[in-house]
Amino acid sequence: MSLLSDLVNLDLSDSTEKIIAEYIWIGGSGLDIRSKARTLSGPVSDPSELPKWNYDGSSTGQAPGKDSEVILHPQAIFRDPFRRGNNILVVCDAYTPAGEPIPTNKRHAAAKIFNHPEVAAEVPWYGIEQEYTLLQKDIKWPIGWPIGGFPGPQGPYYCGVGVDKAFGRDIVDAHYKACLYAGVNISGINGEVMPGQWEFQVGPSVGISAGDELWVARYILERITEIAGVALSFDPKPIQGDWNGAGAHTNYSTKSMRNEGGYEVIKKAIQKLEYRHEKHIAAYGEGNERRLTGRHETADINTFSWGVANRGASVRVGRDTEKEGKGYFEDRRPASNMDPYVVTSMIAETTILWKP
């Protein structure tokens, strides 16, 4: 008699050329990840080879019941770390049957910006630091915290090691390896300042691929926490009080910034970001005002600031960038629940296309 685990891990390659494609999209809240699977006749390596598909948008808050069909357009393919073999994960965006992007399709607008000749010529690079919190499933309290109580104050948990400092490392390492298997350009992980909170980094990734990779990395993390029986939170301030919030610091550079004399280009770009501070803040995640208080390594939400090696500023420039006169900078304002398509394309639009 086979065990359930035997069947879940069944290798199909000996018996059929057919593969399973898991179509992934973003639901009506802008953060709820949805997916469903279909069988394909054989391996696929390019999104253009995949069929479009549909789903019931009335069940995801994206269409009325009387006209509920929404069409999925495949955009990026990743290897499936759960089914393995030739099976794939497919990142999609959503359209009406007439071919118009639905209002929650943020990828479509981002692609327009990244396809602009001026933006494409600058080859924008992104590195996104995704912070998140692992919660006990039934009580929505961080793992490792006593039920109804608090751990010791922050200090020993950041990049901490030990049973009383690091909580959930098995989930974090499983996610790290699964992302590498999938083909996500994940560049590292670390424990964060608040116990039960972790971070992974995606990048450097070019243009729209930064959003695709971060979304599929979030999907993989959701699946792993589902298996582990742990709840995943991208709330920017999951615990009120003297605890760090969760952000998605976005590191950014263009070809001009990476070349000689790039530091002057960086300073001009930062000045543009200051001019449009309110517009960016409005698009950088829900509940971000609870996180950007001017405390816990954040700038105040109402005031734009920048500095070299300053983690209390809106934008931080690294010491190496200042020393070498070229490089990148870090926008520290985005919340952990931000949409990477929105944030990455908005930074490119402001710094490259916008003329004050």
Side-chain angles (χ1 to χ4, degrees), residues 115-175:
N115 288 331
H116 191 286
E118 290 182 48
V119 175
E122 283 288 354
V123 195
W125 289 3
Y126 297 91
I128 303 175
E129 305 170 29
Q130 176 68 72
E131 296 177 346
Y132 61 93
T133 309
L134 299 174
L135 305 176
Q136 300 171 54
K137 181 181 66 173
D138 296 324
I139 60 172
K140 299 296 170 62
W141 198 239
I143 64 171
W145 291 39
I147 295 175
F150 296 87
Q154 294 180 157
Y157 310 107
Y158 173 70
C159 297
V161 178
V163 70
D164 57 344
K165 305 177 193 70
F167 311 112
R169 192 183 295 277
D170 52 348
I171 293 171
V172 174
D173 274 351
H175 177 249

Side-chain angles (χ1 to χ4, degrees), residues 187-330:
S187 50
I189 59 168
N190 61 268
E192 265 305 327
V193 177
M194 189 180 83
Q197 199 172 71
W198 294 83
E199 173 184 302
F200 66 89
Q201 303 95 34
V202 167
S205 303
V206 179
I208 198 76
S209 65
D212 291 338
E213 292 186 29
L214 189 69
W215 272 116
V216 83
R218 285 174 170 177
Y219 171 82
I220 292 169
L221 184 57
E222 288 271 19
R223 287 285 304 275
I224 290 171
T225 53
E226 173 189 320
I227 294 166
V230 170
L232 172 63
S233 173
F234 290 115
D235 190 291
K237 187 73 172 180
I239 304 295
Q240 295 304 304
D242 196 19
W243 303 97
N244 271 37
H249 303 153
T250 302
N251 299 275
Y252 170 71
S253 71
T254 63
K255 182 187 288 187
S256 298
M257 295 174 189
R258 297 187 292 270
N259 289 340
E260 292 302 320
Y263 194 36
E264 291 304 311
V265 180
I266 287 172
K267 287 192 285 188
K268 289 177 182 176
I270 293 173
Q271 188 175 50
K272 285 185 173 184
L273 290 174
E274 180 176 8
Y275 290 155
R276 299 185 98 191
H277 177 63
E278 291 183 7
K279 184 178 178 68
H280 280 253
I281 286 294
Y284 273 16
E286 293 295 323
N288 210 10
E289 71 283 351
R290 293 184 281 116
R291 167 180 163 262
L292 295 180
T293 61
R295 301 180 62 212
H296 306 108
E297 299 181 288
T298 71
D300 180 80
I301 194 169
N302 297 310
T303 306
F304 183 91
S305 60
W306 76 278
V308 176
N310 183 357
R311 283 182 162 76
S314 307
V315 170
R316 180 186 68 88
V317 174
R319 290 283 183 205
D320 287 345
T321 296
E322 181 189 44
K323 181 180 178 181
E324 296 177 15
K326 60 183 178 180
Y328 71 96
F329 65 83
E330 174 192 40

